[in-house]
Amino acid sequence: MEKALFFDIDGTIWDKGQRIPDSTREAFRLMKERGHRLFICSGRTRVFIPDAPLMPLGFDGVLAGCGTFVEYCGQVKFYHRIGEEEILRVNNFLRDLGAAYILEGHRCIYADAERFPEGSLFVREVAKALGENMARVSGNEGSLEVSKFCANYLEDMGRQKELEQWLGKDYTVIHRDGNFVEVVPKGFSKATGIQKICGILGISHEDTYSFGDSTNDLDMLGYTAHSVAMGDGMQQAKDAAEYVTAPLQEDGIYKACKHYGLI
């Protein structure tokens, strides 16, 4: 019986250096031989998911932007874009609040580097990875194509609470490391992306598995019939998962797939 497996990228498929264990590659190969369907399920928007190192692993599709984008066999099946007036309202609020933020779309990511601390490694890494697919917010306010966003570097906790209160009605705020928050329109999550692709392909819920390591994986870990947290992941992910496997670089994916009889 074929199964559908959904994998986070960062901290699950690869580590901070984007190193993928050989055992993970082997697990994917063996699962494809058995006819299982493999999907990336990431908080990254599609433009920030590189095909070259990932798609040859055997993925059938990509669920990106925390459920705001669904792709199967290279074809876009669903995309939710925040309305133009709404994203301008969000942009004005974040700018006036003094936040450093990135607006994330299907085709482009927008950021004003000067809003981040000087020499920000995060901004440099994003710019290096995206090239011409990264643009400034300033000057592009009339053509922003955005499905989610993230904000950081609000050291004033009062301002941080103001941000969360303002966003709370229309958005889900996901706390990551430090003052970094990931913000997704309400009604969308990795779980809703899984629901959508399973509905399209007729995949039974009992045949779903998810693999993650962080707070933006909690919805999918709680939704799928079976769920795996990486041994070196965040405690919240471990608490939400059915099974906690070994750390990423200690053959975590391979061992979890063995545990469930998927390989």
Side-chain angles (χ1 to χ4, degrees), residues 20-88:
I20 303 171
D22 289 340
S23 62
T24 296
R25 298 178 188 276
E26 178 65 3
F28 289 154
R29 186 187 70 79
L30 292 171
M31 285 189 286
K32 290 301 292 182
E33 282 188 355
R34 290 199 174 190
H36 300 319
R37 299 187 185 186
L38 310 180
F39 297 89
I40 290 171
C41 193
S42 178
R44 292 174 176 234
T45 51
R46 187 62 179 92
V47 70
F48 199 27
I49 298 175
D51 283 359
L54 293 171
M55 299 313 288
L57 297 175
F59 289 107
D60 297 282
V62 178
L63 315 183
C66 286
T68 59
F69 175 92
V70 175
E71 174 185 297
Y72 179 66
C73 291
Q75 294 187 339
V76 178
K77 298 296 185 180
F78 173 78
Y79 178 51
H80 173 77
R81 174 179 176 177
I82 299 173
E84 293 179 10
E85 289 187 8
E86 170 62 10
I87 201 60
L88 283 177

Side-chain angles (χ1 to χ4, degrees), residues 171-205:
Y171 297 91
T172 299
V173 179
I174 304 167
H175 289 265
R176 305 296 293 273
D177 296 329
N179 291 332
F180 177 74
V181 292
E182 190 170 13
V183 186
V184 185
K186 281 205 168 162
F188 296 92
S189 68
K190 290 187 177 185
T192 65
I194 292 172
Q195 287 176 309
K196 194 164 290 290
I197 194 66
C198 286
I200 291 170
L201 301 179
I203 297 169
S204 171
H205 179 260

Side-chain angles (χ1 to χ4, degrees), residues 2-196:
E2 72 175 21
K3 312 295 184 183
L5 297 96
F6 301 88
F7 296 87
D8 172 54
I9 300 174
D10 300 289
T12 301
I13 296 174
W14 65 31
D15 61 18
K16 290 182 179 179
Q18 298 190 354
R19 295 180 292 263
I20 303 171
D22 289 340
S23 62
T24 296
R25 298 178 188 276
E26 178 65 3
F28 289 154
R29 186 187 70 79
L30 292 171
M31 285 189 286
K32 290 301 292 182
E33 282 188 355
R34 290 199 174 190
H36 300 319
R37 299 187 185 186
L38 310 180
F39 297 89
I40 290 171
C41 193
S42 178
R44 292 174 176 234
T45 51
R46 187 62 179 92
V47 70
F48 199 27
I49 298 175
D51 283 359
L54 293 171
M55 299 313 288
L57 297 175
F59 289 107
D60 297 282
V62 178
L63 315 183
C66 286
T68 59
F69 175 92
V70 175
E71 174 185 297
Y72 179 66
C73 291
Q75 294 187 339
V76 178
K77 298 296 185 180
F78 173 78
Y79 178 51
H80 173 77
R81 174 179 176 177
I82 299 173
E84 293 179 10
E85 289 187 8
E86 170 62 10
I87 201 60
L88 283 177
R89 185 178 77 97
V90 167
N91 178 63
N92 291 339
F93 176 78
L94 292 172
R95 182 195 61 212
D96 294 344
L97 195 65
Y101 58 94
I102 288 182
L103 307 178
E104 305 168 73
H106 164 41
R107 298 181 181 85
C108 189
I109 286 180
Y110 307 87
D112 291 339
E114 66 270 16
R115 302 193 66 84
F116 290 79
E118 186 176 353
S120 170
L121 180 61
F122 177 61
V123 173
R124 289 207 310 270
E125 287 181 344
V126 173
K128 181 179 178 181
L130 294 178
E132 64 182 14
N133 292 321
M134 184 171 180
R136 289 180 56 81
V137 177
S138 302
N140 287 300
E141 289 89 349
S143 59
L144 296 170
E145 175 260 316
V146 179
S147 56
K148 62 183 283 280
F149 52 96
C150 61
N152 205 351
Y153 303 112
L154 273 172
E155 297 181 0
D156 182 336
M157 291 309 296
R159 304 290 284 187
Q160 185 87 4
K161 289 180 180 178
E162 183 181 350
L163 169 67
E164 293 183 29
Q165 289 173 355
W166 190 85
L167 293 170
K169 186 178 74 170
D170 301 310
Y171 297 91
T172 299
V173 179
I174 304 167
H175 289 265
R176 305 296 293 273
D177 296 329
N179 291 332
F180 177 74
V181 292
E182 190 170 13
V183 186
V184 185
K186 281 205 168 162
F188 296 92
S189 68
K190 290 187 177 185
T192 65
I194 292 172
Q195 287 176 309
K196 194 164 290 290

Side-chain angles (χ1 to χ4, degrees), residues 197-253:
I197 194 66
C198 286
I200 291 170
L201 301 179
I203 297 169
S204 171
H205 179 260
E206 66 187 18
D207 293 323
T208 57
Y209 296 74
S210 60
F211 297 72
D213 73 302
S214 183
T215 47
N216 76 347
D217 298 317
L218 297 181
D219 285 322
M220 75 168 182
L221 293 174
Y223 172 73
T224 53
H226 306 285
S227 54
V228 176
M230 306 306 292
D232 48 352
M234 297 177 70
Q235 188 59 46
Q236 296 98 315
K238 296 178 186 179
D239 292 342
E242 178 181 68
Y243 178 71
V244 178
T245 190
L248 184 159
Q249 288 292 359
E250 295 177 22
D251 306 327
I253 294 293

